[in-house]
Amino acid sequence: MAEITWEEPFCAEGNNCFRIGTDSEGNAYIAVAGQEDRHLTDSREALRNLILEIKAGKADHLL
């Protein structure tokens, strides 16, 4: 398994912090900060598309 390079946590006030990571094989990871051993894995392209969809407001109903 390739080594994951984690970004700094993304935190909202009073909520869990999430971390995004990548590896040299083109995979992307999302985990709750402090639980990086229990991550979701997909391609960087899938992560990029997820971020674009969120920025476009397609997850606003979850707020």
Side-chain angles (χ1 to χ4, degrees):
M1 178 179 213
E3 184 175 335
I4 302 170
T5 302
W6 292 102
E7 299 290 329
E8 290 297 316
F10 295 94
C11 302
E13 190 173 321
N15 293 317
N16 288 330
C17 298
F18 292 92
R19 295 188 81 181
I20 294 174
T22 56
D23 67 21
S24 60
E25 296 177 5
N27 299 307
Y29 304 84
I30 300 174
V32 173
Q35 298 181 26
E36 289 81 358
D37 59 326
R38 298 175 55 201
H39 54 262
L40 299 172
T41 308
D42 209 325
S43 67
R44 287 186 191 192
E45 181 179 346
L47 176 61
R48 185 179 306 110
N49 288 334
L50 173 65
I51 292 168
L52 290 172
E53 295 291 322
I54 290 170
K55 288 176 76 173
K58 293 190 178 181
D60 286 357
H61 64 284
L62 299 172
L63 302 175

